[in-house]
Amino acid sequence: MKLKLFILFIVLTSCNDSSTNTMSKKDQNSSQIDRRVDSVLSLMTLSEKIGQMNQYNGFWEVTGPVPAEGDAAKKYDHLKKGLVGSMLNIKGVEEVRRVQKIAVEETRLGIPLIIGFDGIHGYKTISPIPLAEAASWDLETIRKSAEVSAAEMAASGINWTFAPMVDISRDARWGRVMEGAGEDPFLGSLIGIARIKGFQGDDLSATNTVAACAKHFAGYGFSESGRDYNTVDVGTSTLFNTIFPPFVAAKEAGVATFMNSFNELNGIPATGNAYLQRDILKGDWDYKGFVVSDWGSIGEMIPHGYAENGREAALKAILAGSDMDMESYLYIAELEKLVEENKVDISLIDDAVRRILKLKFELGLFDDPYKYCDLEREKAVVNSKENHDVVLDMAKKSIVLLKNEGQLLPLKKEGQKIALIGALASDKNSPLGSWRLAAADNSAISVLEGMQQYPGNELKYAKGADVTVGETAFISEVTINTDDKSGFQEAVNIAKKADKVVMVLGEIGFQTGEGRSVTSLDLPGVQQELLEAVFKVNPNIILVLNNGRPLTINWAAEHIPAIVEAWHLGSESGHAIAQVLYGDYNPSGKLPMSFPRSVGQIPLYYNHKNTGRPTIPAPNLVFWSHYGDEDNDPLYPFGYGLSYTQFEYSNLQIVDEFAEKGEITVKVDLQNSGSYDGKEVVQLYLHDLIATITRPVKELKGMEMVALAKGESKTVQFVLTEKELGFYDNNGQWRTEAGKFEVFVGGSSQTKYKIELEIKQQ
Ligand code: NOJ
């Protein structure tokens, strides 16, 4: 007790230091925190220090495989001995208070725990899955959505979220594409920043913000063949130009923590990868936060074939710069001996612990360890009407209109007979998506409920067919319904009598996410057959897709007149979809990831290289880079999405002041030439024609969301600098080179509207 009071004394008194008068408030705070951290560190024994580097999962929920050592009795024992620095998957004020109380009141030093949680797209009020949010290209709304998630977590005892995932991926087979921002590093960086700002706000110690975590460092989205946890082998150019940029952006945005990744990168598991963590992250980028391992990833270096046993795995992880061990139980078991044997220098332990304690100070936990544990606040904040309004707004903006032939949409509000078909149409669980650990099951608004809000039409519902069979859950495999078609007839019957048919097909929420890789991207199970059966009796179909990854929907794209990409949109899903179908919201989303025609085209991405044989040299000649049985192009490209109105681009110009000011201004006129008010995401792409290493055919380098009333026009401007024109070479060195560029502007990555630009030698 005496010691705890002493800590409190130094922690509080070291705030008053007149020598810091001339420093900015932020610097003052940070140097005060550094001093307080040092004071605490000086009191700690080696095992207490290592305890801070140890993170345990809670006692009930799991988000990974639990090893035999993970029994509750041992965890409680370690908590009491001050051998735990953080816990994850503990949620709710009461649960958190219970464990925090042990750390604060029963341990020698009373150091509070950081409580981590996978609040990936919401806590109890669930936002659209991150891939869907990315489709909005609306950074401010994405920031607000993260803010809601942070406020609900912080009100529920949590102070650290394992988000945003900023892994770029070009492979829709990988289930975790649902958790990222898609295939593009420029868009991915902006979205990562928006989400970090939303989670962290300006003040980590506020009771409505949480620390964020940029993950998974690095390369996790490039797993071979899209199989989760698989090997990653990429060259320097891909690493620096595609994989790293969103992590750099996250670091610049002040993200509090990084998480490393399960994969090996070019032969070395990321968790034991000193190049990634010590040289790049903590070296070149001078990152001051801490790195948590992914779940059990220190121990997984053994099956990777990189460590012989737990001792060696712990050694490699600490040497490589992994500061906290999530659920491997190896730091706590091995680090002390490794220090005693002089295999690990104590300075490495001190550095890791400093980083961890610093965050505890920044979160305000030393001042009040129970500050996130206010029951009244929890009741007031979680699931509030305001939070639902934010996620509804986010959900509407995440919807992408893929096709609308014959102006089938928007639906008329009166006098129509509408048939609504598909198990997903009445599903209240699936829209919550994959990472929705705190949400109440079946708490989303279904499409059926959303459409019932428009009583002017006659609405009939038939399930048609189930997507899956049996119970579904976050941790277990799903079983697809491949034979039960008993509901087809009822669906066909209601379709026959309808003016229009809305079919909601796709994946259930748990078909994507961690460990959910697939080899087929077709509509799962019997849904394609159902679609075709209904089409035979009534082709006036509006297909609403619910899915967490790009799907191959060639037949639908050819035959179905209207297709709406509605992802897994969270708690307010049905309201958002109905509002778009009925035209109360004019869709404005654009795809953040290419939709392939065939799984065989993967990896498929718009910013690919040209090859030496990009076009057919003469009719019927095979010697060019192509497939004999499929087009090269995607079915729907990155950046693509329609509106109920139309937009026209004209007057593309360049003002080249690169020599004088280092700037090039690109201007284009945009007109809303259709008959609805609407929003367009204006996209700018660059193509560096000749360079010391080959450059992609197009790279997104600018975007702006423009709202225009029907008939209205606006001039949109972008500024290009060395930052947009340059690239990293094969040595990881930044270069801007003189030469010719094409500047493309338009409403998708397939825009052909371009102007040329030449950068002269300086
Ligand atoms: C493993 C996942 O890869 C990671 O993203 C997540 O945050 C942790 N499990 C904790 O649940």
Side-chain angles (χ1 to χ4, degrees), residues 338-406:
L338 286 165
V339 172
E340 280 159 13
E341 289 165 6
N342 290 325
K343 292 197 172 120
V344 171
D345 196 283
I346 185 69
S347 63
L348 293 186
I349 307 285
D350 284 349
D351 176 60
V353 178
R354 265 199 192 92
R355 289 167 186 263
I356 294 163
L357 292 179
K358 183 168 153 263
L359 182 59
K360 294 190 176 187
F361 275 105
E362 287 168 348
L363 288 167
L365 289 168
F366 274 100
D367 299 316
D368 177 5
Y370 303 111
K371 65 182 302 181
Y372 301 97
C373 296
D374 178 341
L375 256 182
E376 289 308 308
R377 187 164 357 102
E378 184 177 35
K379 276 189 214 138
V381 173
V382 170
N383 258 328
S384 72
K385 158 88 173 64
E386 295 76 39
N387 293 354
H388 279 260
D389 289 346
V390 172
V391 302
L392 172 58
D393 186 45
M394 183 77 258
K396 286 189 280 193
K397 291 173 173 167
S398 304
I399 292 173
V400 185
L401 181 63
L402 296 177
K403 188 175 174 191
N404 192 18
E405 252 170 30

Side-chain angles (χ1 to χ4, degrees), residues 217 260-261 263 268-277 297-298 301 306 312-322:
F217 196 62
N260 57 35
S261 53
N263 57 284
I268 301 182
T271 307
N273 201 313
Y275 168 71
L276 281 177
Q277 298 172 103
S297 69
I298 298 182
M301 290 199 284
Y306 190 63
E312 197 180 354
L315 175 64
K316 289 198 163 168
I318 182 68
L319 293 180
S322 298

Side-chain angles (χ1 to χ4, degrees), residues 55 57 62-65 88-89 117-120 161-163 165 167 176 179 213 215-216 220 228-229 259-262 292-296 326 435 437 474 514:
Q55 185 188 49
N57 185 53
V62 292
T63 49
L88 77 148
N89 289 336
F117 190 77
D118 287 295
I120 310 294
T161 184
F162 302 126
M165 182 185 105
D167 297 309
R176 293 196 85 167
E179 198 179 337
C213 181
K215 68 187 191 184
H216 305 85
Y220 187 43
D228 209 358
Y229 320 123
M259 185 185 290
N260 57 35
S261 53
F262 291 124
V292 62
S293 82
D294 203 347
W295 180 295
M326 179 195 291
W435 287 103
L437 302 162
F474 178 74
E514 187 177 345

